[in-house]
Amino acid sequence: KAKEKQGKSGAFTGKIVKVFSPKSNSVVILNFHEDYKKALTAVVESKNFSKFPKLTELKGKTVLVTGKFDTFKGAPQINLKTPDQLKVIK
């Protein structure tokens, strides 16, 4: 359903199963499924790392993500630019 929302703002809730950073260290990707192609991801670009200092601590936590739906290589994602876009749900 996320692909249908491309370009629109919205929100979703999910449990982070993996926090991934490629060797390039250009982004941190929050995966909500072991196979990232099967679920939406949340992405933080390197220019915004300082705003999200505890990303690695999010694995296993359920979060609310808000923002504009986008795609990268056909996979749906939301780019996180400000900390208020990511809230841990207790």
Side-chain angles (χ1 to χ4, degrees), residues 48-61:
N48 295 317
F49 284 172
S50 64
K51 299 175 189 175
F52 298 89
K54 299 181 180 182
L55 289 173
T56 56
E57 296 175 14
L58 294 174
K59 183 178 177 181
K61 305 226 181 201

Side-chain angles (χ1 to χ4, degrees), residues 2 4 6 8 13 15 30 53 60 66 74 76 80 82 88-89:
E4 298 168 6
Q6 183 176 353
K8 298 176 183 173
T13 301
K15 183 177 181 179
L30 305 176
T66 58
L80 301 175
T82 58
V88 176
I89 298 172

Side-chain angles (χ1 to χ4, degrees), residues 25-86:
N25 204 30
S26 59
V27 296
V28 170
I29 303 167
L30 305 176
N31 291 321
F32 295 88
H33 191 282
E34 287 296 332
D35 181 354
Y36 70 92
K37 295 177 185 176
K38 293 186 177 183
L40 189 64
T41 60
V43 178
V44 178
E45 296 176 347
S46 60
K47 65 184 177 185
N48 295 317
F49 284 172
S50 64
K51 299 175 189 175
F52 298 89
K54 299 181 180 182
L55 289 173
T56 56
E57 296 175 14
L58 294 174
K59 183 178 177 181
K61 305 226 181 201
T62 300
V63 297
L64 171 65
V65 176
T66 58
K68 188 174 175 184
F69 288 88
D70 199 359
T71 59
F72 179 75
K73 295 186 179 181
Q77 68 179 29
I78 289 182
N79 286 320
L80 301 175
K81 297 176 181 174
T82 58
D84 63 335
Q85 291 180 272
L86 181 68

Side-chain angles (χ1 to χ4, degrees), residues 1-18:
K1 292 184 179 181
K3 288 182 182 180
E4 298 168 6
K5 295 183 180 192
Q6 183 176 353
K8 298 176 183 173
S9 293
F12 74 94
T13 301
K15 183 177 181 179
I16 297 174
V17 297
K18 184 176 183 183

